[in-house]
Amino acid sequence: AQIDASLKNITDEKIARYDLVYAIQKFNVGKLIRQTETVGTLTAKGIIKGRGYNPETMQAAVEAEVNQVYANRYNYKNISLTAQLAKQKMVARGFINDVNAHLDFKAKAKLGDEISKINVTANIDSIRLQQMNLFNETLNFRGIIVADFKSIQPDKLVGEAYITKSVVLKGNQQFTLDSISLQANEDNSLVLKSPFAKAEITGDYKLTQLADNIFQHVNKYYYIADVSNAVAANQTVNFDMTLYPH
């Protein structure tokens, strides 16, 4: 790795100034984090420039050009990212120009003790999940994803997401979907709408335990699978689904 740095007042978290230019060649991230089975090498270059490192007041700009990063037995290439951070507000843009993943995105978020007020728009020209070892058969996707969430805590999810102009290729079958939306409300309800169905989940439940909760209940009558995680008591879940001709 090569790093050129200019540092001033670095011991003062409010007025410290830093200007770094870095280049990393085949750095073994997996070995560093002891995850060599799933994470491999990283080759990248970029800059980090800013003032302060107190999360509440710092201002910084980041640019990164990732030539390659190995993850989950796939070598991702040509990833670009720029981001600006000012007083716990982040704005970022980027793109991936890999042979099996071609997309661009922009994002905004508020940072603090937790990430909140996230807004993301992703224009996905093509993603081939099988080639990236994310699916065991042909599954390709293209479309536009827009997400706007006040909270992304799994058990306090609040916001909405939309998928439009989407085309899915699964095996030898291709599906064109007009629009799909997901709405997560403060009353803990989830509403999913698509051209072929509408589904709503309501009740007093933890989203992170929803699958285990269902399995635990069904297992009383017909065994499906082991429930490995503890499920909180006194949860209620109501499902309402409508199917449309399509």
Side-chain angles (χ1 to χ4, degrees):
Q2 179 181 344
I3 300 176
D4 295 325
S6 172
L7 308 174
K8 295 181 180 180
N9 302 315
I10 199 62
T11 59
D12 192 314
E13 65 175 13
K14 292 185 177 180
I15 65 171
R17 290 184 178 272
Y18 40 89
D19 192 344
L20 294 83
V21 179
Y22 64 89
I24 301 168
Q25 183 71 30
K26 294 287 185 179
F27 179 72
N28 195 327
V29 180
K31 187 175 181 179
L32 176 67
I33 63 175
R34 299 180 180 179
Q35 296 288 335
T36 54
E37 292 185 2
T38 55
V39 181
T41 59
L42 167 68
T43 300
K45 62 181 180 180
I47 64 171
I48 302 173
K49 186 175 183 178
R51 175 188 174 93
Y53 50 87
N54 182 316
E56 295 182 357
T57 59
M58 69 179 293
Q59 300 183 47
V62 177
E63 295 182 11
E65 298 287 339
V66 179
N67 297 100
Q68 65 81 214
V69 57
Y70 186 87
N72 193 36
R73 297 178 291 115
Y74 183 77
N75 199 33
Y76 293 85
K77 295 183 178 180
N78 303 322
I79 302 172
S80 178
L81 173 69
T82 61
Q84 293 79 41
L85 175 64
K87 297 181 179 179
Q88 296 188 310
K89 294 181 179 179
M90 183 196 71
V91 178
R93 303 180 69 94
F95 68 82
I96 301 175
N97 192 18
D98 185 272
V99 65
N100 291 308
H102 191 189
L103 62 93
D104 64 80
F105 66 90
K106 57 183 179 180
K108 297 179 181 180
K110 183 178 180 181
L111 309 180
D113 293 335
E114 61 185 51
I115 301 174
S116 62
K117 294 184 179 179
I118 292 181
N119 182 280
V120 178
T121 300
N123 295 293
I124 302 172
D125 182 72
S126 63
I127 286 184
R128 300 183 178 97
L129 298 180
Q130 183 185 35
Q131 286 83 345
M132 295 188 292
N133 300 313
L134 299 174
F135 206 72
N136 58 10
E137 63 175 306
T138 299
L139 183 60
N140 301 346
F141 173 82
R142 70 177 298 168
I144 299 173
I145 299 176
V146 178
D148 190 4
F149 283 87
K150 291 172 59 178
S151 169
I152 58 170
Q153 291 188 59
D155 288 326
K156 296 180 181 179
L157 194 65
V158 179
E160 51 195 13
Y162 300 90
I163 301 175
T164 59
K165 299 181 180 180
S166 60
V167 178
V168 178
L169 177 65
K170 185 177 185 296
N172 58 3
Q173 293 182 304
Q174 180 170 297
F175 307 93
T176 301
L177 303 176
D178 299 328
S179 63
I180 299 174
S181 67
L182 173 66
Q183 185 172 347
N185 302 306
E186 294 187 3
D187 64 0
N188 212 31
S189 63
L190 292 173
V191 180
L192 176 66
K193 296 180 181 179
S194 74
F196 48 84
K198 176 184 177 181
E200 184 173 6
I201 301 175
T202 59
D204 183 10
Y205 63 92
K206 293 182 178 295
L207 187 59
T208 53
Q209 298 180 0
L210 184 58
D212 285 328
N213 203 339
I214 293 171
F215 287 144
Q216 180 174 274
H217 179 73
V218 175
N219 280 348
K220 296 177 181 178
Y221 310 98
Y222 184 83
Y223 175 78
I224 296 179
D226 290 333
V227 177
S228 55
N229 300 313
V231 177
N234 301 321
Q235 296 189 57
T236 59
V237 183
N238 304 305
F239 291 93
D240 185 11
M241 177 177 285
T242 304
L243 299 178
Y244 307 128
H246 189 69

